[in-house]
Amino acid sequence: STVFFRSRLGVWVGLLAFVSGLVACSVSPDLVDGAGTIEVNVTADGNGDLYDVDFDAIGSGASDPKVVAFNNVGLGDSTGTTNTGLVTGQNMTFAVTNDLDVGFEGTGDLTVSADGDLTAKSLSIGAQSTGTGLVTVTGAGSTVNVTNVIYVGESGAGDLDISSGAVVNAGSTHVGLNDNSSGEIIVDNATLNVTNSLGGLTLGLSGNGYGGLEIASAGVVSVSGTTEVVNGTIGFGAGD
């Protein structure tokens, strides 16, 4: 079956979803208006974009691996929109070939939990000045792997919460990147690895952008490159 998603430029892009056995892909009828929820429970060959749409990507166990792939994904992509996303369950991989924006111009909320796996080339949480984003990664076995860079408050407001044994890997990480932005990362009994020695970790890089990092309850932050605090703080707490 072919499911269509709206790109940021208004171009219709097809996603060919291969459905086998009793596995089903259900799409809300008002998906094209950016107001529906896609229940992703299939192995998909993703060559499309997903913008301004809620989604739940739910795995069903070790014996039934699933991969859902898109070129670009935006939760809260347009001004005034609010979207949520969920990636959860053993052997569920949600793969974004290029850019994942959580709160591009609107509001986005993304959770990765219970062995869910998310991969992307880049991740921006609170991308534009009107954007507000939250990404929560929680639970042992839950992972986020970003090849290039994670922005937490690129030009807007962003939060990245990593907890309870989850792991986030990124090439480089910038928190509170641009003027008037704000971002915070909380690592609570979890791990953040910044692996690119040329990128490193920066807090509050430009103008009055602010970046915070809180490490709590045996949280681990490993940075291969430089850690630069321009306008921000690094705190150590007891966690929740």
Side-chain angles (χ1 to χ4, degrees):
S1 60
T2 301
V3 183
F4 291 93
F5 302 100
R6 180 170 59 85
S7 76
R8 187 175 292 150
L9 297 178
V11 178
W12 293 100
V13 182
L15 171 68
L16 185 61
F18 298 97
V19 183
S20 61
L22 299 177
V23 177
C25 178
S26 61
V27 180
S28 172
D30 58 353
L31 173 64
V32 296
D33 297 324
T37 296
I38 175 172
E39 298 287 348
V40 181
N41 205 18
V42 299
T43 299
D45 176 16
N47 57 4
D49 297 333
L50 186 67
Y51 292 116
D52 291 334
V53 174
D54 299 334
F55 67 83
D56 294 327
I58 303 171
S60 57
S63 63
D64 191 17
K66 295 178 172 62
V67 177
V68 178
F70 294 93
N71 275 342
N72 300 283
V73 172
L75 290 168
D77 191 68
S78 304
T79 303
T81 59
T82 299
N83 297 117
T84 61
L86 174 65
V87 180
T88 190
Q90 190 174 19
N91 262 344
M92 168 52 69
T93 299
F94 192 91
V96 182
T97 305
N98 294 309
D99 300 330
L100 169 59
D101 294 314
V102 180
F104 185 76
E105 292 181 341
T107 300
D109 189 330
L110 173 63
T111 298
V112 181
S113 65
D115 281 322
D117 182 27
L118 171 71
T119 66
K121 184 177 180 181
S122 68
L123 167 61
S124 181
I125 309 168
Q128 299 298 306
S129 60
T130 58
T132 301
L134 169 64
V135 173
T136 302
V137 190
T138 186
S142 302
T143 61
V144 171
N145 294 292
V146 177
T147 307
N148 288 353
V149 59
I150 295 178
Y151 298 107
V152 184
E154 184 175 1
S155 291
D159 290 281
L160 172 60
D161 293 345
I162 315 166
S163 66
S164 302
V167 176
V168 173
N169 301 304
S172 58
T173 302
H174 304 296
V175 187
L177 178 68
N178 294 315
D179 198 27
N180 295 317
S181 64
S182 65
E184 183 176 32
I185 298 177
I186 298 175
V187 183
D188 186 353
N189 193 27
T191 301
L192 169 64
N193 294 313
V194 181
T195 60
N196 188 340
S197 60
L198 298 178
L201 170 66
T202 62
L203 303 178
L205 189 60
S206 301
N208 64 348
Y210 174 82
L213 171 63
E214 181 75 17
I215 304 171
S217 297
V220 175
V221 176
S222 173
V223 181
S224 295
T226 301
T227 298
E228 185 177 7
V229 181
V230 179
N231 182 29
T233 58
I234 298 177
F236 299 90
D240 295 332

